[in-house]
Amino acid sequence: MKKTTHTITLRRANAWQQPNWNIPGWNPEKIREAKVMVVGAGALGNEVIKNLTLLDVGHIVVVDFDKVEHGNLFKSILFRKSDRGSSKATAITRHIKDINDRIKTLAIHGDISTDVGLGIIRRMDVVIGCLDNRLARMFINRYCHRLGKTWIDGGIENMAGKYSVYTPGTSCYECTLTDDAREIIRYRLGCADVAKRNASVGSISTTPIASSIIAAFQVQEALKIIFGTPEHSIAGEAFRYNGLYNFFLKYKESALKPECDSHEHYDNIVEVPDLSHKNTVKEVLDWLSNYLKPEDV
């Protein structure tokens, strides 16, 4: 009997192979160089980060102040049982490497309103918001407007979801807020609410289907910014999906308001690696005095 010889080729399991998308206008080099910040690592954030990872986006920054709970495991593809009690941002960046070990990641376990400086946001090509409260959205909106950055907001509830693209000079989240929404934000910025804002995080019923759909649109919009084709984005419009009745709706958002506080722009950002929230007021004033050389800080 003739002996048959078989040749087996082994490939390292974690060696990421660049996919050949073969799509007109697709630019893998720009994707590899891209820097994307995702704020919120819940169900929607998981789907957004998963998509960015599969697309081979080169740099992903994840911001979230929450920790992984048992209930998150059923809605979030990138969390594991062993992550319970861990920082969501830290856990999710760790599991990104299991899918694509080429991606450079940064986890920020903190609040977007107090723990993320403009120095890091200005390095981003685009910011994607996956949040469930207006206050955090307002902070992202103001930061991005000050730096001339586009950000993509998304939200889900039950079997529905919505996303919008906010580009300075074209569209603005704060300009869309109603008087009632502004009153809620004013209350949440007051002393009576600051202490308990992070202590009690509400839970919104969602489905993984709604998360997948809205996240896909958000990342698709992010690619338009990364590829340098913002004219194809829906900036100035909102997109709403309703899974219960199977309909999509796209509509114009509120026009820009001249008196809006978000429309401030900073021409020069000074990064100060030597200072943080751990410094005293005196240390900050001393640094400013040495740097700015004013007569009176």
Side-chain angles (χ1 to χ4, degrees):
M1 182 180 293
K2 185 177 180 181
K3 185 177 181 180
T4 303
T5 302
H6 298 279
T7 301
I8 300 176
T9 302
L10 299 178
R11 179 178 293 172
R12 191 162 64 92
N14 63 344
W16 176 264
Q17 301 297 313
Q18 170 64 43
N20 181 14
W21 299 104
N22 196 26
I23 299 173
W26 195 265
N27 193 324
E29 287 75 22
K30 284 190 175 182
I31 294 179
R32 282 294 304 150
E33 295 170 357
K35 299 177 178 66
V36 181
M37 175 179 286
V38 180
V39 186
L44 183 59
N46 262 252
E47 289 295 324
V48 165
I49 293 166
K50 178 207 70 178
N51 290 339
L52 294 172
T53 303
L54 293 176
L55 287 169
D56 201 26
V57 169
H59 308 78
I60 301 176
V61 178
V62 182
V63 182
D64 197 301
F65 66 79
D66 206 1
K67 293 184 178 181
V68 180
E69 298 178 354
H70 182 72
N72 299 134
L73 304 179
F74 306 104
K75 301 178 181 179
S76 309
I77 191 64
L78 293 176
F79 292 146
R80 307 290 181 266
K81 288 183 180 180
S82 58
D83 295 327
R84 284 181 290 191
S86 302
S87 159
K88 283 185 176 179
T90 302
I92 207 167
T93 53
R94 182 169 61 247
H95 296 309
I96 286 174
K97 299 288 188 178
D98 295 336
I99 303 173
N100 185 344
D101 58 0
R102 298 203 311 171
I103 295 178
K104 295 181 179 179
T105 63
L106 174 63
I108 300 178
H109 180 71
D111 192 322
I112 186 64
S113 64
T114 56
D115 300 318
V116 183
L118 297 183
I120 189 169
I121 296 177
R122 75 168 179 169
R123 289 189 170 97
M124 299 298 109
D125 294 301
V126 62
V127 177
I128 302 179
C130 304
L131 302 157
D132 60 2
N133 72 83
R134 296 184 182 94
L135 182 60
R137 287 185 171 104
M138 188 187 74
F139 274 105
I140 297 177
N141 190 71
R142 289 188 176 185
Y143 294 159
C144 288
H145 270 72
R146 288 169 182 170
L147 299 169
K149 299 290 181 180
T150 292
W151 76 282
I152 303 164
D153 177 41
I156 52 176
E157 184 173 3
N158 299 325
M159 296 176 66
K162 174 191 172 186
Y163 80 92
S164 301
V165 178
Y166 297 109
T167 299
T170 301
S171 51
C172 170
Y173 171 74
E174 194 165 353
C175 288
T176 69
L177 294 175
T178 64
D179 291 339
D180 289 342
R182 293 177 185 275
E183 188 60 36
I184 292 172
I185 289 176
R186 278 192 289 270
Y187 169 74
R188 297 197 71 181
L189 285 172
C191 295
D193 190 65
V194 167
K196 66 180 182 180
R197 179 156 60 88
N198 290 352
S200 57
V201 181
S203 177
I204 299 176
S205 297
T206 62
T207 69
I209 297 173
S211 301
S212 298
I213 291 172
I214 298 303
F217 279 116
Q218 284 184 282
V219 174
Q220 186 164 269
E221 291 294 329
L223 286 176
K224 297 172 186 178
I225 306 303
I226 293 170
F227 288 157
T229 56
E231 67 275 9
H232 295 151
S233 80
I234 68 162
E237 299 177 304
F239 182 95
R240 188 176 295 275
Y241 158 75
N242 187 308
L244 183 61
Y245 299 105
N246 294 320
F247 73 81
F248 297 88
L249 177 65
K250 190 169 74 168
Y251 55 92
K252 288 282 187 182
E253 290 208 296
S254 302
L256 297 177
K257 300 175 182 178
E259 71 280 5
C260 179
D261 292 333
S262 279
H263 298 175
E264 186 177 17
H265 179 77
Y266 291 175
D267 292 324
N268 184 34
I269 304 297
V270 179
E271 296 186 29
V272 189
D274 299 329
L275 296 180
S276 75
H277 64 284
K278 297 179 181 179
N279 290 97
T280 65
V281 173
K282 182 180 184 305
E283 290 170 337
V284 174
L285 292 176
D286 288 343
W287 188 93
L288 288 170
S289 180
N290 291 329
Y291 180 81
L292 298 173
K293 308 296 184 183
E295 292 183 5
D296 184 6
V297 173

